[in-house]
Amino acid sequence: MPEALSKPPLTIRLCQPRGFCAGVDRAIQIVVLALKKYGAPVYVRHEIVHNRYVVEGLQNLGAVFIEELHEIPTEHRESPVVFSAHGVPKSVPADAQERNLFYLDATCPLVSKVHKQAMRHQRLGRHVLLIGHAGHPEVIGTMGQLPEGSVTLIETEADIAAFVPENPEALGFVTQTTLSVEDTAGLIHALQQRFPAIMAPSAESICYATTNRQEAVKETASGADLFLVVGAPNSSNSKRLVEVAERAGAKMSLLVQRASEIPWDEIAGISTLGLSAGASAPEIIVDEIINAFRERFDVSVELAVTATETENFPVMSVLRDVELTPSDMAFVNGTV
């Protein structure tokens, strides 16, 4: 090959684990299996997971995404409606029952665990402090498990300083599952310093997948000219990965949804790329991005394995009689 046409070398440090967690995988499977069993349309309240590619893929299969249950037409009241992986307030299934709707709750089991921990605090007479991001569906769902006024959202240390409890001896905290491990540790420390009697949840609230993906990024970001995180701008865990990469030493860190969003003109001189994907980002897009780099660079891929994930969350019993094949999930996983 003539010198002018040779591609510059590029090492891609590919994080493992990355991409779909067990809760996301289960939620998508629930929609796919419901479509196979009951036929279209299957309604989904809110984005099933925070990824436009996944949502559009499910729409192509016959899923209809809505924000509220009243949007389901009267003639489709017998069609299933799926609640998203982020969880919903108690008012949502109550509303579904009142409307005589058939619903399938795809809330991630680890989010449900946080709900139970928050409810346990409240049942034991503690005011609940929820560390999380205002407006995130998971936060709305968790706060909606508890009576109004029994939970306070904490986003910053300023919130902790401003909070004046009725009884500082009767407090408990939980956290959103997709937060920065380091940032959350700082907030928890500040809470415990101000309120020494505050009770922690019985188990870690930040989920294994969030922790594992952040650890993998920490291990691979140092010295990277560019670190790409595949994910959506409304994905909390994906945005945290971008922040982790910057803190861990990547010269530049970006969140992209597709290869078309990569600023190719700005990165022509890179020689080391870190690559990961948020828990709601499909592997097929990771493949797309690697292939896009292969077109422009002489790529060598180094797999950086920091943990092995074996978690598997089964779908609800009503869907277990339907076979799920690799081709059913090829729109997100690619073909093997």
Side-chain angles (χ1 to χ4, degrees), residues 3-331:
E3 189 67 29
L5 297 179
S6 64
K7 298 176 183 177
L10 177 68
T11 299
I12 297 180
R13 299 173 183 167
L14 181 61
C15 291
Q16 177 70 12
R18 64 181 178 278
F20 282 176
C21 61
V24 164
D25 204 31
R26 173 181 179 269
I28 297 168
Q29 288 179 21
I30 287 169
V31 179
V32 171
L33 291 171
L35 285 162
K36 287 187 79 171
K37 182 166 184 173
Y38 303 107
V42 166
Y43 288 87
V44 184
R45 183 188 177 277
H46 190 68
E47 289 187 342
I48 187 69
V49 297
H50 281 159
N51 189 275
R52 175 50 41 187
Y53 183 94
V54 172
V55 168
E56 290 175 353
L58 291 171
Q59 285 174 326
N60 291 338
L61 296 175
V64 177
F65 288 83
I66 57 173
E67 286 304 309
E68 299 298 342
L69 299 181
H70 66 75
E71 298 173 43
I72 299 175
T74 304
E75 63 270 23
H76 289 161
R77 286 287 169 86
E78 294 183 2
S79 299
V81 57
V82 180
F83 301 152
S84 82
H86 310 101
V88 294
K90 282 184 175 178
S91 58
V92 174
D95 185 23
Q97 289 174 346
E98 198 171 298
R99 295 172 185 274
N100 292 317
L101 298 175
F102 168 44
Y103 68 86
L104 299 166
D105 189 351
T107 300
C108 172
L110 299 181
V111 173
S112 296
K113 184 180 78 172
V114 174
H115 292 177
K116 291 171 186 171
Q117 291 169 338
M119 289 187 286
R120 181 176 183 272
H121 281 320
Q122 195 262 335
R123 190 171 65 249
L124 294 172
R126 302 167 188 154
H127 184 84
V128 179
L129 299 179
L130 169 60
I131 301 173
H133 298 298
H136 190 279
E138 185 185 326
V139 165
I140 293 168
T142 300
M143 296 184 78
Q145 305 304 307
L146 303 172
E148 192 168 347
S150 62
V151 57
T152 298
L153 180 64
I154 299 293
E155 293 189 89
T156 64
E157 290 198 23
D159 293 336
I160 297 170
F163 175 62
V164 181
E166 287 185 20
N167 181 1
E169 302 298 309
L171 299 174
F173 74 86
V174 293
T175 81
Q176 186 178 330
T177 63
T178 55
L179 301 177
S180 160
V181 175
E182 287 185 12
D183 289 348
T184 305
L187 289 173
I188 291 171
H189 178 72
L191 274 176
Q192 292 170 332
Q193 289 289 105
R194 177 136 196 257
F195 306 110
I198 194 168
M199 298 300 293
S202 56
E204 174 63 65
S205 293
I206 295 178
C207 80
Y208 78 92
T210 297
T211 303
N212 286 350
R213 278 149 192 72
Q214 289 181 20
E215 284 299 320
V217 169
K218 277 185 198 175
E219 289 291 320
T220 53
S222 179
D225 300 308
L226 172 65
F227 204 104
L228 289 182
V229 175
V230 183
N234 60 340
S235 167
S236 174
N237 77 87
S238 298
K239 290 196 289 186
R240 301 295 81 75
L241 293 179
V242 175
E243 295 166 359
V244 169
E246 289 174 349
R247 288 180 186 173
K251 294 177 185 174
M252 179 167 57
S253 181
L254 296 173
L255 181 69
V256 295
Q257 297 186 84
R258 302 293 299 272
S260 58
E261 294 183 3
I262 298 171
W264 297 107
D265 291 343
E266 298 174 26
I267 65 169
I270 67 170
S271 60
T272 304
L273 171 75
L275 180 60
S276 186
S280 49
E283 185 66 11
I284 198 168
I285 298 182
V286 175
D287 293 340
E288 172 190 283
I289 285 173
I290 291 173
N291 288 334
F293 275 97
R294 288 192 191 281
E295 291 175 6
R296 297 164 172 84
F297 294 86
D298 180 13
V299 169
S300 60
V301 177
E302 295 179 355
L303 189 61
V305 181
T306 55
T308 301
E309 295 179 347
T310 57
E311 288 78 4
N312 176 51
F313 299 146
V315 300
M316 59 278 298
S317 57
V318 72
L319 295 177
R320 290 179 199 164
D321 61 338
V322 186
E323 182 187 8
L324 185 75
T325 67
S327 62
D328 292 328
M329 298 291 286
F331 74 102

